[in-house]
Amino acid sequence: MYGFNVERINLKDEDGVKEVRGFLQSFQLLLDDNVDYTIVIRQNGEIKATCSKSKNVFKCFAVSDDLRGTGVSAILMGAVADKLFEEGTYHSFIFTKVENIDIFTSLGYKLIHKIEKVALLESGIYDISQYLKRLQLEYNIDGATMKSAIVMNCNPFTLGHRYLIEEAARQSTEVLVFIVEEDKSSFPFIHRYNMVKEGVSHLNNVRVIKGGEYIISEATFPTYFLRRKDEILKAYTTLDASVFGRYFCKTLNITKRFIGEEPYCEVTNAYNDALKEVLPTYGVEVIEVKRRALMGEVISASKVRKLIVEGKIGDIKHIVPSSTWEFLNTKIGKEIMGRIKFSHAPH
């Protein structure tokens, strides 16, 4: 009808990327650094619409006013969806401005949650409610028992993490420990998960659970449409806390969320503040536990990584559980430590 042609942008082409960034800037949007696929629609050589994705998350979506109502949104979404199908992915998310909700619901997306500026939607072969039902079956979670929850990255698992879990176990009938599944950390998820699972096996009322796509997923960080860092952080932490309260706490009967005191990390501290603000509105008590210290210094995963960089491997043994220490001494553990030593990544 309108004869639109979809063009893929080579993300290694600086000029092409710069052109997309310029178009997005006119909408007060940013092009995320982590996008892996970007398409545009042009008229007379000028970009008039664009959409990108990062893994299974649609983002950086914009359509010029003169093309609204022409079906171009469906063309963009369909083209990116085709790419996901090629990759064998059949479930996707969209982070967008609240004013775009109607566009995406008309294309079959379902709203998960919205806050003041941010909306999270999904589409695919399952939704968050079905995911949680599957989680209950997989981990044999009884919906009748009141539970506590902890969300951890454990990069790697330390005595500080174990102390927090033990405190929650002491104060609770049952504790669900969700390990962040996003593989953006120095220690891959499967190893972090196993370190924790083995490290708390002595606690009969603790279940260690894979965090999945709905808890602290780096791929869904909405940097592309909020410019100021404090806005980005506030939006992400508030939305994550809201999804956890609205869906996880309600379905799994979680009445308490334990968090560790955070004196150093700005992001974790902001996340804790959001949990304290949001979760009580869902009837969930947030309990902050003072961090465990050794010789006056707080035990943290960042301290472990710092010791690795400094080559002080022997000092690590005093601040990690045996499950972590044993893993660090495996072939894979030594390879990971070798990469950390020469990496400048914060995680």
Side-chain angles (χ1 to χ4, degrees):
M1 178 172 61
Y2 289 93
F4 295 128
N5 291 317
V6 175
E7 174 190 334
R8 179 177 180 178
I9 296 295
N10 180 357
L11 294 173
K12 294 181 180 180
D13 176 17
E14 292 183 7
D15 291 336
V17 171
K18 183 178 180 180
E19 189 180 7
V20 175
R21 290 189 190 279
F23 177 71
L24 287 171
Q25 282 176 359
S26 65
F27 295 86
Q28 296 296 298
L29 302 177
L30 299 173
L31 181 65
D32 272 11
D33 292 333
N34 66 347
V35 299
D36 54 46
Y37 187 74
T38 297
I39 57 172
V40 300
I41 287 176
R42 299 180 186 271
Q43 272 192 342
N44 300 320
E46 290 186 17
I47 295 177
K48 288 290 187 176
T50 185
C51 184
S52 297
K53 78 171 188 70
S54 173
K55 295 184 179 178
N56 67 330
V57 182
F58 289 73
K59 51 178 59 179
C60 312
F61 173 88
V63 177
S64 60
D65 290 341
D66 55 322
L67 287 191
R68 290 186 178 273
T70 62
V72 72
S73 297
I75 294 171
L76 285 172
M77 298 298 292
V80 179
D82 287 345
K83 179 63 176 176
L84 286 175
F85 293 152
E86 283 179 24
E87 296 173 349
T89 300
Y90 306 102
H91 177 258
S92 59
F93 294 100
I94 294 174
F95 255 118
T96 188
K97 292 182 176 181
V98 169
E99 54 263 38
N100 289 335
I101 290 174
D102 289 345
I103 294 175
F104 296 116
T105 53
S106 71
L107 297 174
Y109 275 79
K110 184 184 294 186
L111 178 67
I112 296 176
H113 195 76
K114 66 177 179 178
I115 55 175
E116 183 182 357
K117 295 182 179 180
V118 181
L120 176 63
L121 302 92
E122 67 177 335
S123 178
I125 57 177
Y126 60 86
D127 61 22
I128 189 168
S129 297
Q130 293 167 325
Y131 166 80
L132 286 168
K133 287 178 182 177
R134 194 169 70 226
L135 199 71
Q136 284 181 289
L137 291 173
E138 182 179 351
Y139 291 95
N140 193 27
I141 300 172
D142 173 16
T145 305
M146 289 192 295
K147 303 171 191 67
S148 296
I150 304 173
V151 175
M152 292 178 157
N153 193 31
C154 299
N155 183 39
F157 185 48
T158 70
L159 289 177
H161 294 121
R162 193 179 73 179
Y163 175 71
L164 178 59
I165 296 172
E166 288 173 339
E167 277 298 297
R170 186 176 63 82
Q171 299 181 41
S172 312
T173 303
E174 186 175 344
V175 181
L176 306 180
V177 180
F178 295 91
I179 306 302
V180 175
E181 197 163 349
E182 184 70 39
D183 258 330
K184 295 288 184 180
S185 300
S186 302
F187 290 86
F189 164 72
I190 188 61
H191 302 306
R192 291 184 284 110
Y193 178 81
N194 288 334
M195 279 186 270
V196 179
K197 191 172 182 180
E198 293 169 18
V200 299
S201 59
H202 61 293
L203 300 171
N204 295 327
N205 63 336
V206 172
R207 298 172 195 260
V208 181
I209 298 172
K210 297 176 182 178
E213 297 178 290
Y214 297 94
I215 296 178
I216 309 184
S217 172
E218 176 70 19
T220 57
F221 199 98
T223 56
Y224 65 98
F225 61 85
L226 295 171
R227 288 189 170 274
R228 286 169 40 220
K229 187 176 181 181
D230 57 343
E231 285 185 336
I232 294 169
L233 205 52
K234 179 68 173 175
Y236 176 64
T237 55
T238 301
L239 189 59
D240 183 274
S242 300
V243 170
F244 191 83
R246 178 177 176 180
Y247 293 97
F248 284 78
C249 294
K250 181 180 178 181
T251 303
L252 305 179
N253 199 7
I254 294 168
T255 57
K256 296 178 182 179
R257 171 99 176 238
F258 282 78
I259 60 176
E261 179 188 54
E262 183 47 67
Y264 304 122
C265 178
E266 176 189 355
V267 174
T268 304
N269 193 50
Y271 186 48
N272 283 352
D273 287 344
L275 293 170
K276 293 174 189 175
E277 179 183 337
V278 172
L279 290 186
T281 66
Y282 292 95
V284 179
E285 181 184 3
V286 178
I287 300 172
E288 188 170 28
V289 176
K290 188 175 179 63
R291 294 276 287 270
R292 185 175 176 184
L294 180 67
M295 298 179 66
E297 186 174 2
V298 168
I299 297 173
S300 68
S302 59
K303 174 64 175 177
V304 174
R305 298 194 301 274
K306 184 172 183 288
L307 289 171
I308 291 172
V309 171
E310 294 172 350
K312 299 177 180 178
I313 307 303
D315 291 350
I316 295 172
K317 188 174 184 179
H318 306 295
I319 59 174
V320 298
S322 58
S323 61
T324 301
W325 180 247
E326 289 168 7
F327 173 74
L328 293 177
N329 284 282
T330 64
K331 181 181 178 182
I332 296 175
K334 290 176 180 177
E335 289 174 355
I336 293 171
M337 287 196 292
R339 290 195 293 270
I340 291 172
K341 192 166 185 177
F342 299 101
S343 170
H344 299 290
H347 300 289

